[in-house]
Amino acid sequence: MDSNNIRNFSIIAHIDHGKSTLADQIMTLTHTVDQRSAKPQLLDNMAVEQQHGVTVKAQTVTNFFIAKDNQRYALNLIDTPGHVDFSYEVSKSLAATEGVILLVDATQGVQAQTVANFNLAKAQNIKILPVINKIDSLNADVAMVKQQILELDVDFSDSDILEVSAKHGTGVENLLEEIIQRIPMPKLDHSVSGLKALVFDLSYDNYQGIIAHVRLFSGELRANQKLHLMHADKKFESKTIGIFNPNMVEKDALHAGEVGFVVTGIKETDQIRVGDTITTQSSGALEPLRGYEAAHPVVYAGIFPKDDFLTMKSALFKIALNDSSLSIEEDYSDALGPGFRVGFLGNFHLQIIRERLKSEYDLEVITTSPNVTYKVHLKNAQLLAINNPINFPDFSDIDYVEEPVVTVQITTLPETVNQVINLSEKYKGILTDLNNLSNLVQLTYDMPLSEIAYHFFNALKSETHGYATLSMGKIVYQPADIVKITFDINYSRVPQLTYLTHRIDANNEAQALVHKLKYTVPRQLYPMPAQAIIEGHVIARVDIPPIRKNAAVSGDKKSISKQQVLLRRQSLNKRKSKQLTFELPQSVFDIFLEI
Ligand code: GDP
Ligand code: MG
């Protein structure tokens, strides 16, 4: 199709403002799906998405529409992930578009995620169409919401703002006309003659291998074409190509400006990432498109398979295909065997990945305590970057430690500002700026990355009933008093439980952790102490009771001396074992995610 007749766009919105409903309505109106087969929320199809109510993985669909000018247009709707924690993926999707629909619920108004998403789109320099949804609702206050939208951006004027009911379809046809009028036709790269296709999403099919979702900026893509993935430096031959309508429909060729898929036939998943550029092997492009960034994980954790290492490896890399922030390296633990050191965007991200391993691949894994990367300056002037607590050096060798501190922006409602301020203080945040938007407050903090990555995000969400958004900015390193806590169970060290924290929190956290151990470590026939140790000193201890009564309490009929003999024998047994003779379940490792 002529690129004059193509529009590539996304819908961005606060959760529940009607993004999925509008996408469904557009697909119905353009007969991409017929009314009868239209399932609610066609685009959200991952189990995890449905559970968390967020779109994790982006999906695409081409809708054909005959406009008032009697011309046929291809309207490519590229779905964006709907969670702030996944904003890196939002940007990847937006890089494939020339515009967005900024959807705002008429009963709710501009909300935290509206602002966060608006900022992302603004940063990408693409056309923003403000649209008010749910105008059919009795609680709609269109005039008020218009005012809020106008305050978002001086470039908006009253007449720019469209009104729809995604549910009933009111105004949706007009919206499509406006998309054609106001969103620019695809920008093409005229500097090259060869093929340049941006990979903005990836999926995996057991028979066909990796399927790349692409947006062409120049050239032509065909089936059975010799192609080259520029960043991965991988050569392959396209099997089939085509568009999503909404299912995969084969085409002979895709042209500059178009959006579609390439079946690559590639089965190795460990090199290919979203953001890569596809070109041809001969007379291809010399420079890849912008849009490729290596993974920027902030938290690392060990992930170990309960069963088969290779099955887990394959599953992890398939997940990483469309999750470009995940970094994966092989790792080995004496106790847990072969596994991976995986980098995440935060604990919430770690949870999502664990749930995806379970729901999509039926895999149970052991996850060790998450860690940011510390810079450890040794007395011998050596500098170490440590993201695995097991490698944290002995305190006697350390000169000083630096931790990552990040600038975060929190957007919330005026009524929860006090809770947010208290919470941020508790997590060592230093307030640097406070801004009032029309109905929202924006707070800027410098905060240790570890606090945000481990617990602050979840705490913020629960304090604000899931409302506030948090976006992270620049990371700098600052000196911090970090200590290593190690744990002994029954006098044997359990290296996988090693944990790094701020010294001022160490006591409280160690107490909380040993108490959790008391209820998660499987009980044995003998009592076992669980101890937390810092710099050679035991700072917390609990006794894990035995399954059966032990000699000290069950010997009521025996003489005192017999009891003592038994006790001595028990404690000798204990001290002899250097390694735990039983396995620790995942619940033991989860204690770090809970405190
Ligand atoms: P998303 O989270 O942005 O994808 O929001 P959904 O599309 O799932 O919509 C959230 C809720 O709002 C659902 O219960 C929809 O039925 C409802 N909804 C969506 N659009 C409209 C609308 O135009 N009018 C009314 N009254 N409800 C709507
Ligand atoms: Mg949705």
Side-chain angles (χ1 to χ4, degrees):
M1 185 175 270
D2 189 323
S3 64
N4 284 322
N5 289 25
I6 301 171
R7 298 295 180 272
N8 298 322
F9 68 101
S10 292
I11 306 172
I12 53 178
H14 189 81
I15 189 127
D16 283 343
H17 280 202
K19 186 170 106 166
S20 302
T21 309
L22 181 60
D24 287 347
Q25 190 63 251
I26 291 174
M27 287 188 281
T28 309
L29 198 126
T30 54
H31 309 289
T32 307
V33 292
D34 72 59
Q35 208 107 43
R36 272 164 304 151
S37 72
K39 275 183 265 141
Q41 318 232 318
L42 217 89
L43 291 181
D44 298 346
N45 60 3
M46 230 191 303
V48 178
E49 288 180 3
Q50 272 148 16
Q51 265 171 33
H52 288 268
V54 299
T55 311
V56 177
K57 189 186 155 304
Q59 301 261 318
T60 301
V61 65
T62 298
N63 303 283
F64 292 102
F65 177 64
I66 315 269
K68 277 192 196 134
D69 61 9
N70 271 325
Q71 293 198 44
R72 188 163 175 263
Y73 288 88
L75 305 179
N76 294 313
L77 170 54
I78 294 169
D79 194 18
T80 55
H83 201 280
V84 280
D85 230 21
F86 299 92
S87 63
Y88 67 97
E89 250 200 82
V90 176
S91 320
K92 292 275 158 59
S93 317
L94 295 186
T97 72
E98 275 72 33
V100 291
I101 294 172
L102 180 69
L103 197 66
V104 185
D105 185 331
T107 68
Q108 302 286 315
V110 168
Q111 299 289 349
Q113 286 174 48
T114 318
V115 180
N117 280 313
F118 167 80
N119 288 334
L120 281 172
K122 194 80 186 164
Q124 297 264 338
N125 235 331
I126 56 178
K127 181 76 187 172
I128 301 170
L129 250 63
V131 178
I132 299 176
N133 186 30
K134 308 198 189 179
I135 55 167
D136 62 284
S137 168
L138 289 176
N139 302 320
D141 187 347
V142 176
M144 190 265 295
V145 176
K146 259 195 184 159
Q147 206 46 47
Q148 293 173 348
I149 292 174
L150 290 176
E151 280 175 43
L152 264 185
D153 191 339
V154 289
D155 293 342
F156 290 149
S157 71
D158 201 79
S159 58
D160 290 338
I161 304 171
L162 304 172
E163 297 169 22
V164 301
S165 163
K167 193 171 176 179
H168 301 302
T170 323
V172 176
E173 192 158 345
N174 178 52
L175 170 62
L176 298 185
E177 297 284 349
E178 292 286 333
I179 287 170
I180 291 165
Q181 295 306 320
R182 284 156 63 185
I183 292 180
M185 58 183 231
K187 284 196 188 69
L188 305 180
D189 187 344
H190 296 292
S191 62
V192 287
S193 52
L195 170 68
K196 270 192 190 181
L198 175 70
V199 177
F200 65 85
D201 199 1
L202 291 159
S203 50
Y204 190 89
D205 180 278
N206 280 335
Y207 302 101
Q208 308 189 90
I210 293 174
I211 299 165
H213 304 208
V214 292
R215 151 72 200 270
L216 274 71
F217 281 83
S218 67
E220 191 183 86
L221 191 60
R222 282 176 283 109
N224 309 313
Q225 194 177 18
K226 288 195 162 53
L227 297 170
H228 182 209
L229 267 156
M230 299 183 79
H231 285 283
D233 194 16
K234 180 118 194 140
K235 298 202 158 74
F236 67 99
E237 196 175 317
S238 54
K239 302 289 174 266
T240 55
I241 62 154
I243 60 169
F244 297 100
N245 188 243
N247 301 317
M248 289 163 74
V249 178
E250 275 186 43
K251 294 272 167 194
D252 297 330
L254 286 175
H255 302 96
E258 291 185 316
V259 170
F261 67 83
V262 190
V263 175
T264 65
I266 300 171
K267 299 249 167 149
E268 306 81 61
T269 47
D270 53 344
Q271 294 158 32
I272 299 175
R273 287 300 171 97
V274 163
D276 210 333
T277 300
I278 295 178
T279 189
T280 47
Q281 284 177 25
S282 63
S283 60
L286 299 175
E287 290 282 320
L289 293 159
R290 281 196 305 126
Y292 192 86
E293 271 174 71
H296 286 303
V298 297
V299 178
Y300 294 81
I303 294 205
F304 295 88
K306 281 218 173 125
D307 312 303
D308 183 38
F309 173 77
L310 288 176
T311 316
M312 185 175 118
K313 180 174 179 174
S314 139
L316 257 185
F317 277 106
K318 278 178 198 165
I319 288 176
L321 272 181
N322 51 38
D323 193 334
S324 53
S325 63
L326 212 57
S327 86
I328 304 167
E329 273 172 42
E330 292 196 14
D331 191 14
Y332 185 85
S333 150
D334 286 336
L336 301 170
F340 298 90
R341 190 96 200 135
V342 183
F344 303 92
L345 289 175
N347 274 6
F348 182 75
H349 190 206
L350 190 161
Q351 275 163 258
I352 296 257
I353 299 300
R354 255 172 59 170
E355 284 168 33
R356 285 188 66 181
L357 284 168
K358 178 85 188 76
S359 67
E360 292 169 38
Y361 299 93
D362 199 23
L363 289 177
E364 299 269 4
V365 295
I366 300 235
T367 324
T368 63
S369 81
N371 269 269
V372 298
T373 304
Y374 294 99
K375 288 184 180 167
V376 182
H377 298 259
L378 298 182
K379 285 179 179 155
N380 68 10
Q382 225 189 323
L383 171 63
L384 304 174
I386 302 289
N387 68 35
N388 186 343
I390 292 171
N391 300 332
F392 197 79
D394 191 81
F395 71 101
S396 60
D397 295 329
I398 296 175
D399 184 9
Y400 67 101
V401 178
E402 290 181 291
E403 69 168 344
V405 174
V406 65
T407 306
V408 288
Q409 200 165 60
I410 299 164
T411 309
T412 193
L413 290 166
E415 49 266 39
T416 54
V417 164
N418 282 331
Q419 281 109 296
V420 171
I421 288 178
N422 289 338
L423 193 70
S424 305
E425 253 168 41
K426 188 174 148 203
Y427 287 91
K428 305 185 184 67
I430 295 169
L431 185 66
T432 59
D433 199 10
L434 194 151
N435 249 314
N436 284 299
L437 299 170
S438 57
N439 58 329
L440 296 169
V441 182
Q442 243 173 4
L443 304 118
T444 310
Y445 281 93
D446 288 338
M447 196 180 281
L449 182 59
S450 58
E451 302 289 351
I452 297 165
Y454 306 164
H455 305 298
F456 180 71
F457 183 78
N458 284 344
L460 178 71
K461 286 283 167 186
S462 87
E463 282 284 332
T464 63
H465 308 289
Y467 183 85
T469 64
L470 178 152
S471 65
M472 292 203 284
K474 219 176 61 195
I475 294 175
V476 294
Y477 273 81
Q478 287 178 4
D481 197 359
I482 302 295
V483 291
K484 173 162 79 173
I485 310 182
T486 52
F487 290 87
D488 285 1
I489 295 173
N490 200 28
Y491 306 103
S492 352
R493 181 64 37 97
V494 186
Q496 315 90 276
L497 289 177
T498 307
Y499 172 69
L500 304 176
T501 192
H502 293 97
R503 190 183 298 272
I504 65 165
D505 298 327
N507 257 312
N508 284 341
E509 289 176 1
Q511 293 292 349
L513 287 165
V514 290
H515 275 96
K516 298 248 181 205
L517 287 177
K518 180 171 177 181
Y519 298 103
T520 51
V521 171
R523 294 182 177 190
Q524 306 299 312
L525 291 170
Y526 40 86
M528 299 180 294
Q531 295 167 301
I533 299 146
I534 294 181
E535 296 174 354
H537 302 286
V538 174
I539 59 158
R541 173 189 165 125
V542 292
D543 283 305
I544 300 163
I547 301 174
R548 272 196 267 149
K549 288 178 180 172
N550 74 42
V553 291
S554 69
D556 51 350
K557 288 224 176 92
K558 298 187 187 93
S559 68
I560 300 284
S561 65
K562 267 189 185 158
Q563 263 191 34
Q564 277 166 347
V565 169
L566 265 172
L567 271 173
R568 213 177 303 128
R569 211 179 279 153
Q570 255 185 8
S571 80
L572 270 178
N573 277 343
K574 286 182 275 185
R575 275 156 213 271
K576 254 191 276 175
S577 63
K578 286 231 168 53
Q579 226 181 324
L580 282 187
T581 49
F582 54 92
E583 270 188 31
L584 296 174
Q586 173 63 39
S587 53
V588 173
F589 301 98
D590 283 349
I591 60 175
F592 296 105
L593 298 175
E594 289 161 5
I595 59 152

